[in-house]
């Protein structure tokens, strides 16, 4: 048997897998690769030889056994396989890959699931593998195809001691940010591997912590995208702006505090002409059907927020907005039957409204992150993790889909105060939201008056107003619960934890003179 020569192995050669391999090879690592369909491996190796300078460091295998034996011990094997398991008891393709690997591995070997697997399944898999002596990691990988190729944000969860083995590779291939400004280095645009700066990866916690944080990242991604879409719809509907015109607005926003990957790609998308239009007049986006797909991570985030009792309403709203978009046929019928506002005023003050929409977007975005971080704060208690929010915000600064300039401010906020109760209470964000709230309200009320849906702006504003309300109408709600179900209530004039009940209908209640 030949001496094992590879630093790491990767199973699953779809685009993300291929790009991660090339990223590792660019950074000097020798990578063994395996795919269930051998033809895919052969094609990839052939392409590498033709196009990639680091091709000599990529070695393909047709047999899983040979693949495993080619890797230096303790072996590090990453796989990218689509996972469907949601409940801890669900078994899927990921479990099948692990089962195939197990008899070929030695104690101390490290298996890394780099897909978007559900954290519940990751916790279960780690529990099953630990007694057998294998180290199982669930590592979130964010950044899409380009991120995988030139620097993703990586969120690994697993055994702390085994992380030391994985860390050098993960840090090498991750995106990097400037330590002074927090801005991602984007040398990859020139095709140069990024070697300087702070890597966008850190050990998130044990077992499912990495996949959990990746899931919340996606929950934030959902709302971030929805907020941008609402800004677009308001400008389109209320101001009659074309895609090209809006592109300029987004480009301007991207030069300020809203600077982010998602605003940047929106700018690009909106200036794209429709390739199907021979005359080159139509905008690309106008030819795209308005029904959104989803793979489930946003839903998982929202369902978990409900389970943990965390008011992440704006996040859930972003999922529901996709669901509503998906029932296109129903909406088309309803659009002919259900009425909107009677007197829609002509909107004047275009510049001012655009400015207000910008503020509404920024304030809502702060709420979205506040909800995401509150959710993670609760999850660490529920699942016995110790999460470092400063570090988590830090690795979101580069590589991932939600990367944005203001993540430096979130990093600062949690580094200064690791126990910060809510992002909105950090002095920087408090000031920003206080400054933007008048315009935010203006946008939401204008949208309601004009009949333009903006569920994420609206629900984020309700979250903000609810969070800053010392008194909410739950006094009446508790009374209702006590009335029909004897669920008891606490009193404003008695210590917390003392419960009271009235025999409804109270015979002594004063009668109303009606
Ligand atoms: C990322 C993305 C990535 C993927 C989403 C898309 O961080 O790189 O989040 O994981 O594009 O899963 O999710 P939907 O199909 O649900 O929009």
């Amino acid at each position: 048997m030949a001496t094992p020569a590879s630093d790491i192995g990767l199973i699953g050669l779809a685009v993300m897998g291929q790009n991660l391999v090339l990223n590792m090879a660019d950074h000097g690592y020798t990578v063994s690769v395996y795919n269930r369909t051998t033809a895919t491996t052969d094609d990839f190796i052939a392409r590498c030889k033709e196009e990639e300078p680091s091709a000599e460091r990529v070695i393909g295998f047709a047999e899983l056994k040979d693949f495993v034996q080619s890797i230096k011990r303790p072996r590090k094997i990453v796989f990218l396989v689509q996972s469907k398991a949601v409940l801890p008891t669900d078994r899927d393709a990921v479990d099948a890959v692990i089962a195939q690997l197990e008899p070929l591995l030695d104690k101390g070997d490290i298996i890394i699931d780099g897909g978007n697997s559900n954290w519940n399944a990751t916790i279960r898999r780690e529990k099953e593998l630990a007694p057998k002596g294998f180290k199982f990691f669930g590592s979130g990988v964010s950044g899409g195809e380009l991120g995988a190729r030139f620097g993703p944000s990586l969120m690994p969860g697993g055994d702390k001691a085994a992380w030391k083995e994985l860390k050098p590779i993960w840090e090498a291939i991750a995106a990097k940010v400037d330590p002074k400004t927090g801005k991602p280095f984007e040398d990859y645009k020139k095709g140069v591997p990024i070697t300087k700066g702070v890597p966008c990866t850190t050990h998130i916690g044990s077992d499912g912590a990495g996949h959990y944080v990746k899931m919340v990242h996606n929950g934030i991604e959902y709302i971030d995208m929805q907020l941008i879409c609402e800004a677009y719809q308001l400008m389109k509907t209320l101001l009659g702006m074309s895609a090209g015109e809006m592109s300029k607005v987004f480009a301007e926003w991207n030069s300020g505090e809203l600077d982010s990957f998602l605003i940047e790609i929106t700018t690009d998308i909106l200036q794209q002409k429709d390739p199907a239009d021979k005359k080159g007049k139509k905008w690309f986006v106008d030819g795209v059907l308005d029904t959104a797909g989803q793979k489930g991570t946003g839903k998982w985030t929202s369902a978990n927020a409900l389970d943990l009792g965390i008011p992440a309403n704006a996040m859930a709203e972003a999922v529901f907005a996709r669901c509503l978009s998906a029932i296109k046929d129903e909406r088309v019928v309803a659009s002919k039957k259900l009425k909107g506002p009677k007197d829609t005023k002509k909107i004047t003050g275009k510049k001012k409204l655009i400015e207000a929409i910008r503020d509404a977007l920024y304030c809502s975005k702060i709420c979205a992150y506040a909800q995401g971080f509150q959710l993670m704060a609760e999850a660490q208690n529920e699942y016995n993790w110790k999460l470092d929010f400063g570090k988590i915000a830090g690795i979101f600064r580069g590589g991932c889909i939600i990367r944005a300039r203001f993540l430096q401010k979130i990093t600062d906020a949690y580094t200064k105060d690791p126990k910060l109760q809510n992002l909105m209470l950090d002095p920087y964000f408090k000031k920003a939201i206080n400054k933007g709230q008048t315009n935010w309200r203006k946008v939401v009320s204008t949208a309601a008056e004009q009949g333009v849906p903006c569920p994420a702006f609206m629900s984020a504003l309700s979250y903000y107003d609810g969070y800053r309300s010392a008194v909410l109408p739950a006094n009446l709600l508790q009374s209702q619960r006590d009335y029909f179900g004897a669920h008891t209530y606490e009193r404003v004039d008695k210590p917390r934890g003392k419960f009271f009940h009235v025999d409804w209908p109270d015979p002594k209640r004063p009668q109303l003179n009606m």
Side-chain angles (χ1 to χ4, degrees):
M1 189 177 46
T3 318
S6 296
D7 299 299
I8 189 161
L10 185 137
I11 301 176
L13 289 173
V15 183
M16 286 293 282
Q18 292 190 9
N19 283 355
L20 270 183
V21 170
L22 294 172
N23 188 352
M24 291 190 266
D26 275 356
H27 284 91
Y29 293 102
T30 302
V31 194
S32 293
V33 297
Y34 174 84
N35 196 73
R36 201 173 42 170
T37 316
T38 311
T40 309
T41 312
D42 295 343
D43 290 350
F44 175 54
I45 297 293
R47 181 171 74 80
C48 283
K49 280 192 182 134
E50 259 174 43
E51 297 170 11
E52 299 291 340
S54 51
E56 62 188 34
R57 288 191 287 277
V58 183
I59 311 166
F61 290 88
E63 296 297 329
L64 192 62
K65 190 166 167 250
D66 300 337
F67 162 81
V68 171
Q69 284 180 355
S70 70
I71 305 163
K72 289 183 220 160
R73 289 171 61 184
R75 298 183 181 93
K76 291 167 267 304
I77 299 177
V78 198
F79 61 83
L80 286 124
V81 175
Q82 265 219 351
S83 172
K84 293 211 162 66
V86 175
L87 300 172
T89 45
D90 292 345
R91 291 195 173 261
D92 64 8
V94 169
D95 297 287
V97 171
I98 295 171
Q100 282 177 324
L101 277 173
E102 269 191 59
L104 307 172
L105 298 178
D106 290 290
K107 281 197 173 154
D109 285 352
I110 303 165
I111 321 170
I112 307 122
D113 174 2
N116 266 336
S117 297
N118 186 287
W119 83 99
N120 279 313
T122 306
I123 292 175
R124 191 254 304 154
R125 288 171 185 137
E126 200 274 339
K127 246 198 205 104
E128 287 171 355
L129 290 164
K132 299 175 186 170
F134 305 130
K135 310 292 180 194
F136 184 68
F137 274 77
S139 181
V141 177
S142 177
E145 293 171 14
L146 213 61
R149 179 67 185 87
F150 298 109
S153 174
L154 297 167
M155 299 152 228
D159 184 79
K160 186 91 200 240
W163 165 239
K164 289 202 184 79
E165 297 287 338
L166 193 60
K167 193 176 169 196
I169 305 182
W170 250 223
E171 288 192 342
I173 64 168
K176 314 274 185 311
V177 296
D178 185 323
K180 285 202 196 98
T181 61
K183 260 181 99 74
F185 288 118
E186 298 199 326
D187 310 21
Y188 68 83
K189 288 186 176 160
K190 295 178 222 138
V192 183
I194 308 162
T195 49
K196 58 179 186 218
V198 182
C200 292
T201 187
T202 187
H203 182 251
I204 302 282
S206 58
D207 51 61
H211 272 151
Y212 187 89
V213 167
K214 173 60 173 49
M215 175 195 76
V216 175
H217 162 283
N218 280 27
I220 296 173
E221 173 186 305
Y222 268 54
I223 172 131
D224 219 346
M225 293 167 80
Q226 175 64 23
L227 292 170
I228 292 171
C229 292
E230 290 178 14
Y232 155 83
Q233 187 168 15
L234 288 166
M235 285 191 271
K236 182 175 153 184
T237 317
L238 298 180
L239 299 171
M241 289 169 71
S242 71
E245 210 183 337
M246 282 184 269
S247 169
K248 293 188 189 119
V249 172
F250 279 106
E252 200 190 310
W253 290 356
N254 206 38
S255 63
E257 55 199 352
L258 275 174
D259 173 0
S260 65
F261 171 72
L262 285 168
I263 298 268
E264 183 189 324
I265 64 163
T266 304
T267 309
D268 278 356
I269 293 166
L270 292 176
Q271 53 183 282
Q272 169 78 33
K273 286 285 173 66
D274 188 348
D277 174 33
K278 297 272 177 312
K279 291 187 186 138
K281 288 204 167 134
K282 293 181 182 162
W283 299 102
F284 167 80
V285 74
D286 294 334
V288 177
L289 190 73
D290 54 326
T291 61
Q294 51 182 316
K295 291 204 210 81
T297 44
K299 184 182 81 180
W300 293 349
T301 318
S302 305
N304 185 245
L306 285 172
D307 282 342
L308 300 187
I310 296 300
N313 54 333
M315 280 198 190
E317 208 59 71
V319 180
F320 290 133
R322 288 197 193 189
C323 301
L324 194 60
S325 81
I327 50 169
K328 169 85 178 172
D329 295 347
E330 257 181 85
R331 286 190 287 113
V332 170
V333 173
S335 72
K336 294 181 188 117
K337 297 192 172 168
L338 301 175
K339 286 200 163 59
K342 259 202 193 116
D343 313 305
T344 46
K345 284 178 268 157
K346 190 167 162 26
I347 301 284
T348 52
K350 180 173 172 181
K351 199 163 169 252
K352 280 215 158 116
L353 185 59
I354 293 175
E355 230 173 80
I357 295 172
R358 195 213 72 94
D359 285 352
L361 178 50
Y362 192 50
C363 290
S364 305
K365 192 170 156 128
I366 295 170
C367 288
Y369 277 76
Q371 293 177 7
F373 278 80
Q374 278 205 306
L375 183 57
M376 290 191 279
E378 187 58 31
Q380 67 174 345
N381 301 329
E382 181 75 12
Y383 306 110
N384 296 317
W385 300 319
K386 211 172 164 310
L387 303 179
D388 183 328
F389 300 116
K391 283 195 175 149
I392 291 172
I395 68 166
F396 286 169
R397 288 177 300 178
C400 63
I401 303 295
I402 63 170
R403 62 185 182 263
R405 184 195 288 190
F406 96 146
L407 270 155
Q408 181 57 46
K409 299 288 182 196
I410 303 184
T411 308
D412 294 343
Y414 281 104
T415 309
K416 245 187 297 149
D417 180 3
K419 293 210 163 71
L420 181 65
Q421 209 159 32
N422 187 303
L423 190 63
M424 294 188 294
L425 300 177
D426 168 76
Y428 175 85
F429 289 107
K430 188 174 67 184
K431 198 168 156 205
I433 221 161
N434 279 341
K435 187 166 156 248
Q437 60 147 335
T438 309
N439 268 342
W440 188 11
R441 292 180 195 287
K442 187 174 143 196
V443 170
V444 166
S445 57
T446 307
E449 270 170 20
Q450 303 286 321
V452 182
C454 57
F457 281 170
M458 284 179 177
S459 113
L461 181 58
S462 294
Y463 170 75
Y464 172 67
D465 280 335
Y467 192 75
R468 59 172 203 87
S469 293
V471 178
L472 286 170
N475 50 339
L476 177 57
L477 195 131
Q478 277 303 96
S479 310
Q480 291 163 338
R481 291 181 73 241
D482 191 55
Y483 193 115
F484 63 68
H487 293 298
T488 73
Y489 60 93
E490 291 171 274
R491 292 192 54 86
V492 291
D493 50 4
K494 292 281 187 278
R496 290 295 307 266
K498 274 188 164 288
F499 291 89
F500 300 86
H501 168 64
V502 167
D503 283 326
W504 299 97
D506 182 1
K508 295 198 289 289
R509 76 185 186 283
Q511 297 298 312
L512 292 179
N513 292 323
M514 303 260 280

